[in-house]
Amino acid sequence: MIFSAKLGTIPESISHDSAEEKLFSKASDMVLSRAFRELGLKSAVLHERGDSADVTAESRIHGYTFVADSKAFRLSRTAKNQKDFKISALSSWRKDNDYAVLCSPYFQYPAKSSQIYAQALSSNVCLFSWEHLIFMLDNHVRETAELNFSEIWNFSSNFSHKVLVSDMKRNFMLDFSSFLAEFLNIDAEIFNASLKEQISCLINRSRIEKDFWIDKIKIIKNYSREQAVNELINSLKINEKLNQINTYIRSISQ
């Protein structure tokens, strides 16, 4: 299975909230589900959208179940907040399932501290990543009767008992990564090497994304005055705002 952390990176050429972005998100769900199956689990993508998780999974051997949500971000995305990760929503989507798992790009998690870490610990949401999946798949890890992955998905609950209240918002991804390597009985340096390889992939990917915007600058510089004005009006969505105001006034004037 060809797999890369680049999957967690939305191309800059895909417009925000576009049909292409929705297709990219759906593809991410499908790959996440396939990856869980490669780990020896049953998994499926949910067709319903909205108030539900993207993916479900079940242990063929141990019988536990969990819901999962896949995340991808553009490299140009500015500071992210807790709403971007939807920890509380993912916890509520668990319903009758045993665990809830978020799969996000490793380096897109807040670097130092964030409310999402406290939320994950208090609601027992596993903060997983595409890079952790790559590490497991590259090392041919599969769940067995002796290797019960529930310890992975339940990490936040177990780790919460070791964390001081004052440290609840601290980034614990290093702790999770160390635990994962030890749990799988794989040298932690192998995980570190895997991370470095993914960093190289992202650096190469960044060149493509930067070239997209550099080319865009060249195109814009060749705009006529009229093209530039229209582009600015469209980017500010001024006509949409005017239409919305008119719609609102009409609704209260009837």
Side-chain angles (χ1 to χ4, degrees), residues 93-139:
W93 295 336
R94 176 182 356 228
K95 297 178 182 176
D96 295 330
N97 294 281
D98 297 294
Y99 307 110
V101 178
L102 176 66
C103 187
S104 175
Y106 185 89
F107 297 105
Q108 293 284 11
Y109 280 115
K112 295 183 179 179
S113 64
S114 170
Q115 186 64 35
I116 74 162
Y117 298 116
Q119 290 176 346
L121 293 178
S122 62
S123 58
N124 191 23
V125 171
C126 176
L127 299 188
F128 204 51
S129 75
W130 297 109
E131 286 78 1
H132 289 124
L133 267 177
I134 291 166
F135 168 64
M136 295 175 74
L137 294 172
D138 283 349
N139 286 280

Side-chain angles (χ1 to χ4, degrees), residues 4-252:
S4 170
K6 292 187 290 184
L7 179 74
T9 303
I10 303 174
E12 298 290 330
S13 57
I14 293 180
S15 301
H16 179 63
D17 279 342
S18 63
E20 290 81 5
E21 185 179 64
K22 291 179 174 61
L23 286 173
F24 187 94
S25 176
K26 177 58 73 174
S28 298
D29 297 342
M30 295 171 66
V31 173
L32 179 59
S33 180
R34 170 64 188 277
F36 286 143
R37 293 199 294 273
E38 291 289 318
L39 296 178
L41 307 172
K42 294 180 183 178
S43 183
V45 176
L46 294 177
H47 295 294
E48 58 191 271
R49 306 297 292 182
D51 191 23
S52 67
D54 299 319
V55 175
T56 61
E58 178 183 354
S59 171
R60 299 177 184 273
I61 301 170
H62 302 286
Y64 65 77
T65 61
F66 65 84
V67 297
D69 194 26
S70 64
K71 287 294 175 191
F73 298 98
R74 292 172 179 78
L75 293 182
S76 63
R77 180 65 184 271
T78 54
K80 293 165 287 298
N81 56 47
Q82 55 184 312
K83 291 182 180 179
D84 295 312
F85 296 95
K86 300 189 293 188
I87 304 296
S88 297
L90 181 55
S91 178
S92 69
W93 295 336
R94 176 182 356 228
K95 297 178 182 176
D96 295 330
N97 294 281
D98 297 294
Y99 307 110
V101 178
L102 176 66
C103 187
S104 175
Y106 185 89
F107 297 105
Q108 293 284 11
Y109 280 115
K112 295 183 179 179
S113 64
S114 170
Q115 186 64 35
I116 74 162
Y117 298 116
Q119 290 176 346
L121 293 178
S122 62
S123 58
N124 191 23
V125 171
C126 176
L127 299 188
F128 204 51
S129 75
W130 297 109
E131 286 78 1
H132 289 124
L133 267 177
I134 291 166
F135 168 64
M136 295 175 74
L137 294 172
D138 283 349
N139 286 280
H140 311 290
V141 173
R142 289 180 68 88
E143 188 172 62
T144 64
E146 295 75 27
L147 193 63
N148 186 341
F149 287 168
S150 66
E151 291 294 313
I152 298 174
W153 320 130
N154 199 43
F155 173 83
S156 290
S157 177
N158 292 329
F159 189 68
S160 66
H161 301 300
K162 305 175 184 178
V163 179
L164 298 174
V165 174
S166 59
D167 289 333
M168 291 286 280
K169 295 182 181 180
R170 180 180 64 84
N171 181 332
F172 57 75
M173 297 307 293
L174 285 177
D175 300 280
F176 175 73
S177 299
S178 296
F179 155 78
L180 183 65
E182 182 178 355
F183 176 75
L184 299 176
N185 197 27
I186 301 175
D187 194 313
E189 285 305 311
I190 296 178
F191 175 72
N192 292 334
S194 178
L195 269 188
K196 289 179 181 178
E197 183 177 344
Q198 296 310 315
I199 290 173
S200 295
C201 287
L202 289 171
I203 290 173
N204 291 332
R205 174 65 176 272
S206 73
R207 298 189 181 102
I208 297 173
E209 306 306 339
K210 288 189 290 185
D211 283 345
F212 170 79
W213 289 117
I214 290 171
D215 289 341
K216 182 69 73 175
I217 289 173
K218 292 176 182 177
I219 292 171
I220 291 172
K221 284 185 175 180
N222 287 322
Y223 277 178
S224 66
R225 181 181 181 281
E226 183 179 1
Q227 282 179 300
V229 169
N230 288 333
E231 185 75 16
L232 180 59
I233 290 172
N234 290 333
S235 67
L236 293 175
K237 298 183 177 179
I238 293 175
N239 288 323
E240 289 88 339
K241 296 179 191 300
L242 289 171
N243 289 334
Q244 182 58 39
I245 293 172
N246 289 334
T247 300
Y248 173 71
I249 295 300
R250 283 196 300 268
S251 70
I252 64 175

